[in-house]
Amino acid sequence: MLRIFLLALLTVTLSQAALAQKSEKAEAQAGSCEKLAKLALPNATVTSAEVVAAGSFHANSAVTPWAAQADALYRSLPAFCRVRVESHPSSDSDIKIEVWLPLDNWNGKFQGRGNGGFAGEIDDFTLAIAVREGYATAATDTGHAASGVDARWALGHPEKVTDFGYRAIHEMTQDAKLVVKQFYGKHPLQRAYFASCSNGGRQALMEAQRYPGDYDGIIAGAPANYWTHLVTTAIWQMQATLMDSASYIPPAKLPAVAKAVDAACDAQDGTSDGIIDDPRKCHFDPSSMLCKADDTKECLTAAQATALKKIYAGPSDANGKQIYPGLLPGAEEGQGGWGLWITGPEPGKSLMQMFGTGFFSDMVFEKPDWNFRDANISDIVKAADAKLAKTLNATDPNLSPFKAHGGKLILYHGWNDP
């Protein structure tokens, strides 16, 4: 009996000692976090450093549409050190950066995160995912505050366009690594990864091409890396569907288009399962949907069929040379499909239309009243390339410096992504 009592007492004592040790460690980390406020960084200033208690984080960002999932994610977070940084690599730069550092169970790795669209916000959701998985992580607004479809910040601010194009992600990476080194002290950084998609995929490839030593591993998802030509496609689509109101394809007709595409191409792989296995082999003719009598949501008018052919074909210059590939058939319907990206819920309200108008009016020509109706496709793509290709396009095929660094790149894209 005495032996059992002594064993129990020893267990309690050891548990209390472990808790005390853990408490002391947490207090030490908290103190270490607060000291980061005085950390000196090149071209940058730490504006705050504070411990966020486990499960207490509340987002101040509207980046994610998944509010319920985000709340659950934030409640599951461990305690972490939240560091805010402002970087000023040029006289017109004001790059906001956040670095999140787990207090316990750091996996020894750093993960940089990117932005969609025209950026303008720090994505708390992706930072939270990384911290929950044990990573030290960082994100940036790339130097301006705006929604991801708003490019008005670029008017008259070429340095901010450079920050958006490539400089802000590099500055974020360099500053974050210094913060990580200072915070974890004798524990060295083992690996650095970058992961993002869309414009973030462009940022990912820009890092591999411009700054091959920044990351050991990069995931570039659905990269918008041929930016000047991709966004020219938006103007091509706008001219195809909006120059004449009769050419606009309302979202109510998209289910019929998708059904006709499936009927024409689904069985090509030997199985009729509602999936087009290789859309490149699908040669759907929109003329097959021409209305035979009244115009209904189950058919296309001649003007709409012509517009649809142009969307599938993609833009070409005056000599017939393709500027950018057209959209592949099969992604017309569904969440994130053409109703969001191409046709929009109504004329002039699609995401591609917002990107196209914003890019050419605010970045290329810097004329707020620029009108896509007056644009010549050959001329505008030449203007975009001459002014911004070096800043925005991540199209250099030479990845040998990144390979020599030991870097690994995963690049992916989905057929169903318009």
Side-chain angles (χ1 to χ4, degrees):
M1 193 73 181
L2 178 61
R3 183 180 179 185
I4 295 174
F5 173 76
L6 290 174
L7 284 172
L9 182 61
L10 179 60
T11 302
V12 170
T13 302
L14 290 173
S15 298
Q16 290 174 337
L19 288 172
Q21 187 177 24
K22 188 173 182 179
S23 177
E24 289 175 4
K25 182 180 178 182
E27 289 177 6
Q29 285 289 74
S32 177
C33 176
E34 293 166 359
K35 290 179 181 178
L36 290 174
K38 298 180 180 179
L39 179 64
L41 298 171
N43 302 320
T45 302
V46 177
T47 58
S48 69
E50 59 184 356
V51 170
V52 178
S56 68
F57 178 74
H58 296 285
N60 55 9
S61 168
V63 172
T64 176
W66 310 293
Q69 294 93 322
D71 287 342
L73 171 63
Y74 298 146
R75 288 194 299 270
S76 71
L77 292 184
F80 64 94
C81 176
R82 184 184 189 185
V83 181
R84 292 183 177 94
V85 176
E86 292 182 4
S87 178
H88 305 282
S90 81
S91 60
D92 195 30
S93 295
D94 185 16
I95 303 168
K96 302 293 193 302
I97 299 166
E98 289 205 19
V99 186
W100 292 12
L101 308 144
L103 294 191
D104 291 309
N105 301 317
W106 178 47
N107 62 15
K109 301 170 186 176
F110 167 69
Q111 187 178 132
R113 303 297 309 191
N115 315 77
F118 289 120
E121 293 179 294
I122 291 175
D123 191 345
D124 298 323
F125 191 77
T126 57
L127 288 176
I129 292 173
V131 163
R132 189 178 63 177
E133 294 175 350
Y135 289 91
T137 184
T140 174
D141 63 1
T142 75
H144 61 275
S147 77
V149 294
D150 184 355
R152 288 174 293 180
W153 52 268
L155 275 169
H157 295 282
E159 293 293 346
K160 290 187 183 297
V161 176
T162 298
D163 289 335
F164 166 76
Y166 60 85
R167 189 163 55 194
I169 294 293
H170 177 60
E171 293 291 318
M172 173 200 81
T173 304
Q174 296 295 97
D175 290 341
K177 284 184 175 180
L178 291 173
V179 171
V180 168
K181 182 179 180 180
Q182 181 68 25
F183 185 67
Y184 292 111
K186 62 182 180 180
H187 303 288
L189 177 64
Q190 298 172 16
R191 290 285 186 269
Y193 302 123
F194 186 89
S196 196
C197 66
S198 193
N199 175 54
R202 182 193 66 83
Q203 293 169 334
L205 289 179
M206 194 68 86
E207 277 291 303
Q209 293 163 21
R210 278 183 177 267
Y211 306 106
D214 276 2
Y215 290 98
D216 304 298
I218 292 175
I219 300 175
N225 62 308
Y226 203 2
W227 185 276
T228 57
H229 286 224
L230 167 63
V231 187
T232 297
T233 302
I235 306 304
W236 171 269
Q237 293 166 353
M238 292 171 72
Q239 290 185 344
T241 59
L242 300 177
M243 292 286 275
D244 178 357
S245 60
S247 299
Y248 177 69
I249 304 169
K253 291 197 175 190
L254 294 179
V257 173
K259 183 177 179 181
V261 169
D262 279 348
C265 301
D266 179 14
Q268 287 180 343
D269 60 357
T271 305
S272 295
D273 55 2
I275 298 172
I276 299 173
D277 188 62
D278 188 344
R280 295 170 299 180
K281 297 177 181 178
C282 178
H283 303 293
F284 167 68
D285 183 2
S287 298
S288 64
M289 290 187 66
L290 286 173
C291 298
K292 295 180 174 57
D294 295 336
D295 179 10
T296 72
K297 65 180 182 180
E298 301 301 323
C299 64
L300 297 174
T301 65
Q304 290 169 341
T306 298
L308 186 55
K309 288 178 182 179
K310 289 181 178 179
I311 292 173
Y312 287 138
S316 298
D317 63 18
N319 298 317
K321 183 180 179 181
Q322 190 172 55
I323 293 171
Y324 197 80
L327 296 185
L328 290 167
E332 300 83 4
E333 192 183 13
Q335 184 178 9
W338 286 26
L340 176 67
W341 282 93
I342 311 303
T343 65
E346 58 185 87
K349 297 295 183 181
S350 80
L351 289 180
M352 283 299 286
Q353 290 158 10
M354 294 178 188
F355 289 133
T357 300
F359 175 63
F360 282 100
S361 63
D362 299 322
M363 290 187 177
V364 178
F365 299 114
E366 298 188 73
K367 295 179 179 179
D369 60 349
W370 181 84
N371 194 323
F372 76 93
R373 297 177 185 276
D374 303 324
N376 176 282
I377 292 296
S378 293
D379 292 341
I380 66 171
V381 74
K382 287 179 183 177
D385 281 343
K387 186 174 183 178
L388 293 170
K390 292 182 179 180
T391 303
L392 299 178
N393 291 353
T395 52
D396 184 353
N398 180 16
L399 294 175
S400 55
F402 182 62
K403 181 180 179 182
H405 169 66
K408 300 290 189 292
L409 171 68
I410 296 174
L411 191 153
Y412 71 86
H413 204 119
W415 287 128
N416 226 42
D417 182 353

